[in-house]
Each structure stands twice: as structure tokens, then as C-alpha cells.
């Protein structure tokens, strides 16, 4: 926990903004795992101009970290020092619809995209609705499922760079790969334009229902998890390696491997971030010993140990 003196000292160094500064914010309430220490300061910008002003005026020695929907994130128990930015104001959740395209604010939750697809008979993006988190995070990790990836449907991205400048980046410059992209760490995604195809409400609804039913039957549902834990090695499946290595029943403290899908780790209710990370590292070491293959974390781990 960060000291009261330190928190107030940090606030005095930050620029005066239109948005909100919140101190000592529990990040366990902002992540799907439901674990993690506090953000020393959380900044919720009012709009892109406010964010640009903050980026330009914030002292460069203060660490700044952006979080999205917290679905693919493990925050360590000591929390995140400095400033955590969250694009949680309405201006970052706006949607505009054009001819065979839709532009979504980076803060829009993927599941909220569903109503726009149904109401406007827009097809091609159903898979995005079933991915946990927000639109911006889906692009940065090139999220995918059901045979599609974000790179298959994205047209362009509006970003803010480390100088506070807003730029439009085309899909060819993003270098989207398997669960990866070329985004520099100091870029902040503001909005994304996707290519779409017209479809009937009935077809869209059927696809959405089928995908939801599949997830409920094959993956942990309504549980504290961050989605797939490890990337699939080329030509292989992480879950098969985990099962083959006898790691599918492992647990550490309040964290355990999901019984439905062993590439998902679960917070059973009282896990710490340390429990979850230790369980993940145990799986990596065991799989390496048994198969000579090193699994790579798909979940982003940030913050400091307690």
C-alpha cells in the first residue's frame, strides 16, 4: 500500500486536468482475476484533448501505465506505482457507423458491441463480442477466436503517441501477428475502425448465441479468470502440453487450473496475484521439463510484488 504522504506528493506533481485523479484505487476491482494491489493514482481523462495535455505536461520520470478492461491482465499484489490511465469516460466509448465500416472508441467493452451489430444489421464482428475486455485491448493483442482475428477485420487505428500527438495508423503498419502487434509502449489507442459486411439480424443473433453456447460448454464461465493463460506454440496447443505434462490438476493457494479448459487459471475466491503467477510459472517449468517446450505467457503481468 502506498503511503498517504507519497500519494499526495505525487498528486502535486501532476498537471491540472479536466478528468479525474483517484488515489489508492484497488485494481482487483478493475481486473477479471479480481486480484492485485492498488494504483498509486488512477487518471480518467475527460477526452482526448485532456489526455494529450496530461501526456505533454506529466513529468517524464513518473511511470504511466494504461489499463483496458483488465481481462488479459494480472496485477501483482504490490500494485502499480505512478499513474494508471483508464479510458473510462463516455468520449472513449463512442461508436460511429459508416458504409461497410464501424468506428469504436477504445474504451468500449467488446460485449457492448453486440447491440450495435444487431440494431444496424452489421456482420463480421460477432467473434469480438465474446472476447473479454475492451476494444482497444483486443487490437493491441490481436485477439481472436472462432477462426478470426482482429487483423482480419481492422482497417485503421487512431492513436496518441508519447508526445501527445494524435495520428491515424493503417492496418499495414500495425504488423499484427499471433497475439501480438508492433504498438510502441507509449502509444495509446483512442479508436478503431473495422471493416464490416451487411447481414440479417437473425444471422447475427444466431452466430452470437452459438459462440456464447460454445464458450459456456468448453471454457470456464462466470468465474474469475483472465482467458487463455499461455500462447499456443507454433503448430501446437498449449492445453495439450499442459495436460500431457500432468499440470491439469495443479493448484497454488486460491488459484487452480480450470477443470473445463486447462489453459485457463482460476481464482477460486481467495487467491492472491502471487498464487496465480506461481501456478503459471510452475506449469511453465513442468512443461519445459517434460516436453522441452517453453510456454509463453499470453496474460500481461504488471506491478510490483508485495
Amino acid at each position: 500500500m502506498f503511503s498517504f504522504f507519497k500519494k499526495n506528493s505525487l498528486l502535486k506533481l501532476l498537471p491540472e486536468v479536466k478528468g479525474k485523479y483517484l488515489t489508492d484505487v484497488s485494481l482487483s476491482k478493475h481486473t477479471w482475476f479480481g486480484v492485485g494491489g492498488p494504483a498509486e493514482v488512477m487518471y480518467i481523462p475527460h477526452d482526448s484533448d485532456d489526455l494529450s495535455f496530461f501526456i505533454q505536461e506529466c513529468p517524464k520520470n513518473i511511470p504511466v501505465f494504461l489499463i483496458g478492461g483488465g481481462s488479459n491482465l494480472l496485477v501483482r499484489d504490490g500494485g502499480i506505482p505512478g499513474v494508471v490511465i483508464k479510458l473510462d469516460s463516455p468520449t472513449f466509448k463512442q461508436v460511429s457507423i459508416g458504409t461497410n465500416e464501424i468506428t469504436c472508441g477504445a474504451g468500449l467493452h467488446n460485449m457492448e458491441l453486440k447491440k450495435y451489430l444487431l440494431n444496424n444489421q452489421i456482420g463480421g464482428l460477432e467473434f469480438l463480442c465474446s472476447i473479454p475486455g475492451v476494444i482497444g485491448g483486443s487490437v493491441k493483442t490481436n485477439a481472436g477466436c472462432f477462426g478470426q482475428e482482429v487483423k482480419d477485420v481492422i482497417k485503421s487505428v487512431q492513436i496518441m503517441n508519447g508526445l501527445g500527438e494524435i495520428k491515424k495508423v493503417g492496418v499495414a503498419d500495425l504488423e499484427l501477428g499471433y497475439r501480438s502487434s508492433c504498438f510502441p509502449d507509449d502509444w495509446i489507442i483512442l479508436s478503431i475502425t473495422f471493416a464490416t459486411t451487411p447481414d440479417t439480424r437473425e444471422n447475427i443473433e444466431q452466430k452470437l448465441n452459438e459462440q456464447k453456447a460454445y464458450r459456456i460448454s468448453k471454457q470456464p464461465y462466470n468465474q474469475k479468470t483472465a482467458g487463455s493463460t499461455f500462447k499456443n506454440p507454433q503448430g501446437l496447443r498449449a492445453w495439450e502440453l499442459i495436460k500431457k505434462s500432468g499440470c491439469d490438476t495443479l493448484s497454488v493457494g486460491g488459484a487452480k487450473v480450470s477443470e473445463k479448459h486447462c489453459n485457463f487459471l482460476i481464482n477460486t475466491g481467495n487467491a492472491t496475484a502471487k498464487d496465480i503467477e506461481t501456478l503459471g510459472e510452475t506449469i511453465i517449468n513442468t512443461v519445459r521439463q517434460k516436453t522441452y517446450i517453453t510456454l509463453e505467457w499470453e496474460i500481461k503481468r504488471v506491478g510490483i510484488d508485495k
Side-chain angles (χ1 to χ4, degrees):
M1 195 71 70
F2 306 107
S3 71
F4 179 82
F5 174 77
K6 185 178 178 183
K7 284 184 293 182
N8 280 269
S9 297
L10 177 57
L11 284 177
K12 291 177 182 178
L13 297 174
L14 298 178
E16 187 173 339
V17 295
K18 293 180 181 178
K20 294 187 293 185
Y21 289 132
L22 307 172
T23 59
D24 202 21
V25 177
S26 173
L27 291 173
S28 65
K29 298 177 181 178
H30 293 267
T31 63
W32 285 57
F33 263 137
V35 301
E40 187 173 1
V41 171
M42 178 176 282
Y43 164 50
I44 302 175
H46 177 72
D47 54 23
S48 57
D49 288 339
D50 190 43
L51 177 60
S52 177
F53 177 78
F54 171 85
I55 294 296
Q56 293 176 44
E57 299 298 324
C58 182
K60 301 308 177 187
N61 62 335
I62 295 176
V64 175
F65 182 76
L66 177 75
I67 65 169
S71 60
N72 196 41
L73 187 68
L74 177 61
V75 177
R76 296 187 176 101
D77 298 306
I80 301 179
V83 180
V84 172
I85 300 175
K86 189 173 176 69
L87 304 183
D88 210 26
S89 61
T91 187
F92 297 108
K93 300 178 182 181
Q94 295 177 356
V95 174
S96 63
I97 299 169
T99 303
N100 294 330
E101 68 176 34
I102 184 171
T103 300
C104 305
L108 182 76
H109 282 270
N110 291 347
M111 64 182 66
E112 293 177 358
L113 182 60
K114 174 181 176 179
K115 63 184 179 183
Y116 294 98
L117 302 186
L118 289 170
N119 292 341
N120 296 279
Q121 300 186 74
I122 295 171
L125 303 181
E126 293 87 355
F127 77 101
L128 268 177
C129 301
S130 67
I131 297 174
V134 295
I135 292 292
S138 300
V139 175
K140 196 162 187 178
T141 59
N142 187 29
C145 59
F146 302 112
Q148 284 185 280
E149 294 178 308
V150 167
K151 70 179 180 64
D152 301 325
V153 293
I154 192 172
K155 295 182 70 175
S156 63
V157 176
Q158 187 185 58
I159 65 97
M160 182 175 293
N161 63 22
L163 300 176
E165 300 168 334
I166 297 176
K167 296 180 179 295
K168 184 177 181 180
V169 182
V171 64
D173 297 319
L174 298 176
E175 297 182 18
L176 297 174
Y178 173 63
R179 302 300 178 264
S180 66
S181 68
C182 74
F183 280 89
D185 288 339
D186 62 351
W187 278 14
I188 297 175
I189 299 172
L190 302 177
S191 66
I192 308 95
T193 299
F194 297 102
T196 63
T197 54
D199 204 348
T200 65
R201 183 183 178 94
E202 291 73 23
N203 284 344
I204 296 167
E205 197 155 29
Q206 181 179 349
K207 289 178 185 177
L208 291 169
N209 290 336
E210 288 174 352
Q211 292 174 3
K212 181 178 179 179
Y214 178 87
R215 285 199 180 275
I216 292 174
S217 66
K218 302 292 185 180
Q219 299 174 1
Y221 193 75
N222 284 337
Q223 290 184 288
K224 294 180 179 180
T225 183
S228 296
T229 306
F230 304 107
K231 298 179 181 180
N232 289 322
Q234 187 172 6
L236 300 169
R237 294 176 178 173
W239 74 265
E240 289 181 340
L241 295 170
I242 293 168
K243 190 173 182 66
K244 179 181 179 180
S245 302
C247 297
D248 53 322
T249 59
L250 289 182
S251 64
V252 173
K256 73 170 188 176
V257 176
S258 168
E259 297 170 0
K260 270 193 173 183
H261 195 307
C262 59
N263 196 23
F264 287 68
L265 303 186
I266 303 295
N267 172 7
T268 61
N270 62 345
T272 63
K274 186 67 173 178
D275 290 341
I276 296 169
E277 189 165 16
T278 300
L279 177 56
E281 289 297 322
T282 301
I283 292 171
I284 290 174
N285 291 333
T286 305
V287 170
R288 184 189 298 121
Q289 291 170 6
K290 297 287 181 67
T291 69
Y292 302 101
I293 296 169
T294 301
L295 292 176
E296 182 182 348
W297 283 91
E298 184 171 332
I299 294 169
K300 187 175 181 66
R301 296 163 295 151
V302 298
I304 58 177
D305 290 321
K306 194 169 183 178

